[in-house]
Amino acid sequence: MNTMVWKVDKYVDNLENNPQVVDAANFLRKNEVVAMPTETVYGLGGNAESDAAVAKIYAAKGRPGDNPLIIHIAEREQLTRFVAEVPVMAETLMDAFWPGPLTIILKKKEGVLSEKATAGLATVAVRMPDHPVALALLKTCGLPIAAPSANSSGKPSPTNAEHVLDDLNGKIAGVLDGGTTGVGVESTVVDCTETIPVILRPGGVTKEQLEAAVGEVHVDAALTDEAARPKAPGMKYRHYAPNAPLFMVSGTAEFLQSLVEEKRSEGLKVGVLTTEENASVYQADLVLACGRRAELETVATGLYDTLRKFNQENVDVIFSEMFPNTGVGYAIMNRLQKAAGNKLIIE
């Protein structure tokens, strides 16, 4: 398959009539799959009402079939087509964070969306992305679009079109190239089918922000307890992993450096994931600064690109510093834990 690339300047006016956007929308209407930029990562979009389109998403990614997809919409009125009810707390969250990096789980109407898109569940995960190109594409095609991250399943998510092509070139119809994404980690997923909302995946909207909007918010036990069964099926899978084994290191810089030296003495090529503040502290084969510790949003933005750079340099093992488990740091640590397969070395 020849994968087309449509470059679009997200700052131009009248994006809905942009020929590149219109072309990509036509592919979606034909039940082909197209990668699109969002404010979090690039998504691999397909018609959520079509079994054929959704099957192409799973096939291109190599994604497990019991891992449901997030449905992307451009206008809240679209919810009435496939959502059974919208609780008041969900409306409040939409008012506060849509468009934006927040996915809300609601009870679905039967017989509208592809059962493959929702993995046969009685609920549906929905969000409205905060990216002008994504919104223009969604409005132009007029469809609810199922869109997981546009990468091979288990690998670091894509934050630019080049990342998408690295994984999916020849496997999908096209990529709408709207430049580099902003937030860098995926949306927060909140279950609003209970009396109190429950965070199933931390992301671009923090727990603190959610609580400021609706009060008490719970966290799925599986996010802190490996033995607990996750409410979101996809959370049981390994995600975001670089090619080389990744270890999180809890301890001093001197301790992390000793681990580096031990592996280098074994003839291994060693990488270190750190921040700008500590980049000069380590001596390794590849030291990559992932943003600034003083501004964790920059770490979130650069995380997946940094993990992919380790792949490009073919390191044999990676040691990563830890980050505060609050605010957006909670999402960063969640992604690192998944990427490392929960491999943690404590001083």
Side-chain angles (χ1 to χ4, degrees):
M1 177 186 296
N2 179 37
T3 298
M4 300 185 65
V5 178
W6 303 280
K7 286 186 176 291
V8 179
D9 182 353
K10 66 181 180 181
Y11 298 109
V12 302
D13 295 329
N14 200 19
L15 275 170
E16 291 171 51
N17 292 317
N18 180 288
Q20 311 278 51
V21 172
V22 171
D23 201 15
N26 286 334
F27 272 80
L28 290 174
R29 290 197 197 97
K30 296 174 185 175
N31 293 332
E32 297 294 343
V33 292
V34 171
M36 64 179 183
T38 76
E39 80 282 21
T40 56
V41 299
Y42 271 71
L44 182 58
N47 180 2
E49 297 179 359
S50 164
D51 283 344
V54 174
K56 290 176 183 178
I57 294 173
Y58 280 102
K61 284 179 61 67
R63 182 183 177 97
D66 65 343
N67 193 353
L69 307 178
I70 294 172
I71 311 305
H72 291 64
I73 61 173
E75 297 170 318
R76 280 165 65 167
E77 291 75 18
Q78 291 176 271
L79 290 173
T80 59
R81 176 163 172 76
F82 59 88
V83 167
E85 60 177 304
V86 181
V88 172
M89 65 178 168
E91 292 275 9
T92 301
L93 290 173
M94 292 173 194
D95 289 340
F97 301 110
W98 277 13
L102 179 68
T103 293
I104 299 176
I105 294 180
L106 302 164
K107 294 178 181 178
K108 73 176 184 182
K109 286 182 180 176
E110 296 295 335
V112 181
L113 299 173
S114 165
E115 285 293 303
K116 295 178 184 292
T118 58
L121 300 176
T123 55
V124 58
V126 193
R127 91 176 187 99
M128 185 186 296
D130 188 16
H131 193 289
V133 175
L135 289 173
L137 179 64
L138 292 166
K139 289 178 182 177
T140 302
C141 74
L143 297 166
I145 296 297
S149 55
N151 59 304
S152 296
S153 189
K155 296 301 182 183
S157 299
T159 53
N160 60 50
E162 289 73 24
H163 293 165
V164 178
L165 292 170
D166 285 344
D167 283 10
L168 301 181
N169 193 14
K171 298 180 180 179
I172 62 176
V175 180
L176 196 57
D177 183 354
T180 301
T181 62
V183 176
V185 293
E186 292 83 353
S187 61
T188 302
V189 178
V190 177
D191 184 353
C192 284
T193 64
E194 307 286 344
T195 304
I196 297 173
V198 181
I199 296 174
L200 305 188
R201 181 181 72 185
V205 176
T206 68
K207 183 174 185 284
E208 295 83 354
Q209 290 173 314
L210 293 171
E211 289 175 331
V214 294
E216 185 178 5
V217 174
H218 290 173
V219 175
D220 185 11
L223 291 175
T224 55
D225 181 1
E226 287 184 55
R229 184 175 182 269
K231 290 186 67 176
M235 295 307 288
K236 68 186 178 184
Y237 295 107
R238 189 182 182 204
H239 294 285
Y240 324 117
N243 295 338
L246 170 67
F247 295 86
M248 299 176 293
V249 180
S250 176
T252 62
E254 291 77 13
F255 176 65
L256 194 154
Q257 182 62 41
S258 72
L259 298 174
V260 172
E261 291 169 2
E262 177 185 343
K263 291 301 181 183
R264 292 184 82 185
S265 70
E266 298 172 7
L268 299 180
K269 187 175 182 179
V270 182
V272 173
L273 190 157
T274 180
T275 57
E276 291 179 13
E277 291 92 334
N278 289 344
S280 61
V281 171
Y282 301 107
Q283 300 297 316
D285 297 285
L286 183 64
V287 177
L288 294 180
C290 182
R292 296 176 295 281
R293 182 171 289 273
E295 299 175 83
L296 288 181
E297 292 80 6
T298 64
V299 177
T301 298
L303 181 60
Y304 294 140
D305 185 58
T306 301
L307 292 175
R308 285 177 175 267
K309 284 177 180 175
F310 284 118
N311 289 349
Q312 294 167 5
E313 297 297 326
N314 295 312
V315 298
D316 297 309
V317 62
I318 306 163
F319 295 111
S320 173
E321 292 182 337
M322 305 278 280
F323 297 92
N325 221 350
T326 59
V328 73
Y330 188 33
I332 293 167
M333 286 305 301
N334 171 265
R335 302 318 192 266
L336 280 175
Q337 287 163 1
K338 289 287 185 181
N342 289 305
K343 295 190 294 291
L344 171 64
I345 302 174
I346 301 174
E347 185 172 8

